[in-house]
Amino acid sequence: MNSRLQYVELNDGRFIPGLGFGTYKPPEVPNSKTTEATKIAIEAGYRHIDCAYAYQVEEEVGLAVRSKIADGTVKREDIFCTSKLWCTFHRPELVQSSLERSLKKFHFDYVDLYLIHYPFSMKVNENGKTIYDHVDLCAVWEAMEKCKDAGLAKSIGVSNFNRRQLEMILNKPGLKYKPVCNQVECHVYHNQRKLLDFCKSKNIVLVAYGALGTQRDKQWVDQSSPVLLDDPVLGALAKKHKRSPALIALRYQLQRGVVVLAQSLKENEIKENIQVERRAVGMWVLYMLLLSSYPGTFLSPPPQKKEIKEYPWKLLNHLTYFKMLPIAFSESFKYMTL
Ligand SMILES: NC(=O)c1ccc[n+]([C@@H]2O[C@H](COP(=O)([O-])OP(=O)(O)OC[C@H]3O[C@@H](n4cnc5c(N)ncnc54)[C@H](OP(=O)(O)O)[C@@H]3O)[C@@H](O)[C@H]2O)c1
């Protein structure tokens, strides 16, 4: 494995760099910041860029990549670029044209990975209002398979799917391609232990977003939730290993075979985060985080939206210290040797 980029093999034989650069930013931040940050990221050594139609920065990401190709820093084939199908384009006849629209914005012939962004569908009604819709996920997946066959997406996968929804695709009669990954919220406070085991058993890579505790966007994140990078255990580990809490939080994911995304618009943070794999972390202490702090999600909150058929999350139980203790130890032994 390349020590800087740590590629992980996907179930279709292609490889994904273990660390990806996240490009979501709140709408009030100018889009030009994304171009700037993405160029810095490529110069710093990132080769995996995570984007989506919904982030509305595909043009800026494409511009940054093309400028780094033009100045000889990289070739197109060195970059692993992801985009995602938004919920309003789930109807099978809209899937390929939606990807083509993204490709036009990037000025790319293909994306390396195309994901179904969420397992629930939406549509715009006659009054211009966006409402929930129902589209059969298996039909969406068949349309994704056609995008791969057309060469527009080298690999295809899903995001924010729970186990049942993954099984629905895996058990689909006539399945041509398995999803290569499931991109979900995953961090030390919500480590997706069961979903990770399931994904591993099916040779599906788990890709973690929110690994640094998210951008804490007021629109989505409860501002009274704890700030992940201020966690005292993470801080103590960082001190011990002479690394930042961010590097410990990222290393934690790589050690357990998770591909991890890290977002920042700040040059120092972008450059710092790519140092991730340099030092191992005492895994057992990290598992203690689960016990000490806030077992919960930031971006995938559990309002029980029962009216949405494919709403993927359910309320988390607030697990007690004693219930979690044996799990923490068995998990730490499982990954200690990696
Ligand atoms: N599939 C999905 O539904 C989905 C959902 C959410 C995100 N994503 C993807 O995942 C990416 C990452 O998730 P995210 O954007 O939620 O956030 P994240 O990577 O968990 O956290 C980003 C924030 O962490 C802070 N940070 C970054 N590096 C740091 C460092 N070295 N030291 C201290 N603080 C640091 C920055 O805050 P400051 O700027 O304040 O320093 C930054 O805004 C997104 O950009 C997007 O590409 C996907």
Side-chain angles (χ1 to χ4, degrees):
M1 243 188 326
N2 176 328
S3 66
R4 286 217 99 206
L5 300 169
Q6 284 188 321
Y7 284 83
V8 173
E9 188 166 7
L10 300 170
N11 64 34
D12 62 1
R14 295 179 55 82
F15 289 83
I16 184 171
L19 174 68
F21 181 65
T23 63
Y24 172 76
K25 58 149 196 67
E28 62 274 16
V29 175
N31 280 18
S32 58
K33 292 262 179 206
T34 301
T35 314
E36 232 174 274
T38 309
K39 283 190 201 168
I40 293 170
I42 296 171
E43 280 159 16
Y46 291 79
R47 294 294 177 262
H48 169 182
I49 302 169
D50 182 76
C51 196
Y53 169 85
Y55 305 166
Q56 296 186 25
V57 290
E58 289 172 318
E59 271 177 50
E60 287 72 16
V61 167
L63 188 63
V65 172
R66 281 182 286 118
S67 108
K68 289 290 111 194
I69 293 173
D71 74 7
T73 308
V74 285
K75 299 190 187 79
R76 171 65 187 90
E77 56 271 29
D78 298 330
I79 298 290
F80 188 101
C81 183
T82 301
S83 191
K84 309 185 190 94
L85 175 75
W86 187 239
C87 310
T88 46
F89 306 117
H90 278 188
R91 297 205 165 264
E93 66 277 14
L94 301 180
V95 172
Q96 184 162 328
S97 55
S98 174
L99 173 53
E100 282 164 350
R101 189 167 36 244
S102 290
L103 291 175
K104 227 177 182 170
K105 290 190 176 184
F106 285 123
H107 289 254
F108 289 166
D109 298 329
Y110 64 89
V111 288
D112 296 273
L113 178 61
Y114 199 47
L115 306 179
I116 302 179
H117 203 148
Y118 286 97
F120 48 82
S121 312
M122 295 183 202
K123 67 178 174 190
V124 180
N125 72 6
E126 52 287 354
N127 303 321
K129 207 176 152 222
T130 303
I131 57 169
Y132 290 101
D133 189 14
H134 176 69
V135 182
D136 175 10
L137 277 177
C138 290
V140 188
W141 187 251
E142 283 168 8
M144 295 286 285
E145 291 179 326
K146 288 189 181 128
C147 292
K148 180 172 159 78
D149 283 338
L152 303 175
K154 300 277 183 196
S155 299
I156 50 174
V158 298
S159 176
N160 297 304
F161 274 44
N162 61 26
R163 177 181 170 147
R164 183 185 58 78
Q165 291 157 340
L166 281 172
E167 280 176 332
M168 199 193 305
I169 304 289
L170 294 173
N171 298 332
K172 186 187 86 64
L175 180 74
K176 192 163 183 190
Y177 306 115
K178 275 164 66 162
V180 296
C181 72
N182 186 19
Q183 185 183 120
V184 291
E185 179 175 343
C186 179
H187 42 74
V188 285
Y189 290 162
H190 184 60
N191 77 354
Q192 300 279 16
R193 180 176 53 86
K194 287 185 183 165
L195 189 63
L196 176 61
D197 282 347
F198 175 73
C199 286
K200 284 188 173 176
S201 76
K202 301 293 175 193
N203 199 12
I204 293 171
V205 168
L206 194 140
V207 180
Y209 72 73
L212 299 174
T214 82
Q215 297 174 50
R216 301 186 65 81
D217 193 330
K218 284 197 182 76
Q219 216 189 135
W220 312 110
V221 178
D222 174 2
Q223 298 298 298
S224 67
S225 62
V227 176
L228 187 137
L229 294 181
D230 290 349
D231 187 280
V233 181
L234 211 48
L237 267 171
K239 206 167 163 195
K240 178 173 181 281
H241 291 284
K242 298 189 176 58
R243 284 289 185 268
S244 67
L247 287 180
I248 304 286
L250 295 174
R251 174 74 214 192
Y252 164 69
Q253 302 294 1
L254 292 183
Q255 263 180 267
R256 57 207 286 262
V258 167
V259 169
V260 66
L261 303 176
Q263 182 276 349
S264 181
L265 294 171
K266 297 179 183 150
E267 183 165 357
N268 63 321
E269 291 179 354
I270 295 171
K271 290 183 171 166
E272 179 184 314
N273 294 343
I274 198 151
Q275 304 303 317
V276 55
E277 66 289 342
R278 297 270 167 87
R279 206 171 275 252
V281 167
M283 292 294 285
W284 68 273
V285 189
L286 273 164
Y287 280 101
M288 294 303 139
L289 275 171
L290 285 170
L291 319 176
S292 63
S293 307
Y294 173 79
T297 60
F298 293 112
L299 279 174
S300 316
Q304 291 291 299
K305 298 199 174 184
K306 290 230 165 70
E307 77 275 17
I308 311 171
K309 187 167 178 286
E310 291 299 347
Y311 196 75
W313 305 291
K314 64 178 176 202
L315 224 117
L316 286 170
N317 288 325
H318 198 92
L319 294 169
T320 63
Y321 183 95
F322 292 109
K323 257 179 155 174
M324 287 299 291
L325 205 55
I327 298 172
F329 280 113
S330 75
E331 287 285 299
S332 47
F333 283 123
K334 192 157 75 185
Y335 294 114
M336 194 85 84
T337 51
L338 282 184

